[in-house]
Amino acid sequence: MTRSVLAIDAGQTGMKVRVDTPDGRDELLFRGIDTHEPLLPQLAEVVRASLTRTHASPDVVAAGISGLTDRDADADALLALVAGTGIRSAALAHDSTTSFLGALGDRHGAVVASGTGVVTLAVGARDVARVDGWGYIMGDAGSGYWIGREALDAVMRAYDGRGPATALTDVVCELWPDLSQAYIALQGDEGRVRIVAGFAASVARCADAGDAVALAITARAARELAHSVSTAIARVRGGETETFAVCTVGGVFRSAPLRAAFADALTDGGRRGDVEIVAPRGAGIDGVVALPGLAPSHPLTAAVHRAGIA
């Protein structure tokens, strides 16, 4: 059955919305979710704003959500919040699920999605394994936040004389000219997670330019990401001998030095042949669109929270 879908790819940096109906497609962008605020009202607000802006009439809302917890995975509650809009069914999933579906579809493998946070999902013939995605305080190794935090640590070490000089110092001084007061300003800023994660792009630029400190941070991040992927695949492989596909998605992988270091770490310098890094078929938003029609036999179906979907 063909459904008209309002799909939300809800990340911490931004929310991408796609509205697919027989009349056409609309693409919208909203500010990222606030993880310290109730989630479902934020999604409902985006749904209503999207319908107002597009004048579309979808009957399904689907969302892939960064950091989705059992507390917020209530599709019935979301339907109640969008009552009167014409939407009759809902499907919610963690963004690791939608990233996988968008990137690999039905293929066995792993998808590592690294933006502000990071999560890895592997799917085998029968099993599913999620690795990390535990947030910036307890996990997210190799994420944009992790890289940004490493950059700030390196800058303050250089400032103290505990570490080598780095071009990252000039980048941080553009935001906080007095480094001795930077930690006070950062701790008091409600947007501190996004601010810290934003320095990942500066690390990538400095690594491209050959800065030794930025290259070292990049290499450590790549090893963390590769370790997560290897761990996830080992948990789902079972007795299968096939080569598992690996997709990398998210802003962190825009860094050419990081991509190269990740590939080297994952494949053991090309000596490991049971994994293959492949280009994604699509994006996370494509995986969100696929949620309502996911086959009952698919290993990821159990990870989708539904309401009103037969």
Side-chain angles (χ1 to χ4, degrees):
M1 179 178 68
T2 301
R3 295 181 169 97
S4 297
V5 180
L6 189 157
I8 306 172
D9 186 11
Q12 298 174 59
T13 303
M15 281 192 265
K16 299 175 184 176
V17 173
R18 177 182 295 172
V19 185
D20 271 337
T21 70
D23 297 324
R25 170 179 292 179
D26 290 288
E27 307 268 3
L28 306 172
L29 183 64
F30 295 85
R31 68 184 300 272
I33 55 173
D34 289 319
T35 55
H36 60 282
E37 297 289 344
L39 170 66
L40 296 181
Q42 296 179 68
L43 294 180
E45 182 180 346
V46 167
V47 169
R48 292 184 180 276
S50 299
L51 296 178
T52 297
R53 288 167 59 177
T54 63
H55 305 291
S57 301
D59 52 9
V60 182
V61 59
I65 304 155
S66 174
L68 181 66
T69 64
D70 290 342
R71 179 195 65 187
D72 291 317
D74 190 337
D76 287 297
L78 179 59
L79 276 186
L81 288 171
V82 298
T85 63
I87 291 175
R88 299 187 298 275
S89 55
L92 306 178
H94 192 277
D95 65 344
S96 60
T97 297
T98 51
S99 291
F100 188 97
L101 291 171
L104 289 178
D106 291 331
R107 191 171 180 182
H108 296 165
V111 174
V112 52
S114 186
T116 299
V118 61
V119 64
T120 297
L121 192 72
V123 177
R126 294 166 299 278
D127 297 316
V128 175
R130 169 183 158 179
V131 171
D132 211 344
W134 306 128
Y136 70 96
I137 295 175
M138 297 175 63
D140 285 352
S143 68
Y145 180 91
W146 188 96
I147 293 170
R149 172 67 179 78
E150 290 286 295
L152 292 175
D153 179 80
V155 167
M156 298 319 296
R157 286 177 181 274
Y159 178 78
D160 288 339
R162 293 178 292 138
T166 171
L168 292 167
T169 295
D170 291 337
V171 175
V172 175
C173 282
E174 290 177 6
L175 186 58
W176 302 299
D178 184 354
L179 288 180
S180 70
Q181 299 301 304
Y183 75 105
I184 296 294
L186 182 59
Q187 289 172 182
D189 197 312
E190 291 184 356
R192 55 189 172 272
V193 173
R194 293 190 184 101
I195 291 172
V196 173
F199 286 113
S202 300
V203 172
R205 288 194 297 272
C206 290
D208 268 331
D211 182 80
V213 171
L215 283 167
I217 293 171
T218 298
R220 291 198 298 275
R223 288 194 295 270
E224 291 284 0
L225 294 167
H227 182 50
S228 291
V229 170
S230 293
T231 300
I233 289 175
R235 286 171 52 188
V236 304
R237 183 180 288 281
E240 298 148 84
T241 59
E242 67 179 295
T243 298
F244 270 49
V246 175
C247 270
T248 61
V249 299
V252 163
F253 286 101
R254 295 191 189 112
S255 166
L258 187 139
R259 291 196 307 273
F262 171 81
D264 186 69
L266 182 65
T267 64
D268 191 22
R271 290 180 290 274
R272 179 181 178 185
D274 63 337
V275 292
E276 177 190 10
I277 299 174
V278 300
R281 297 179 181 178
I285 193 70
D286 298 301
V288 179
V289 172
L291 277 183
L294 200 60
S297 59
H298 196 288
L300 287 173
T301 296
V304 183
H305 306 268
R306 301 167 179 253
I309 296 178

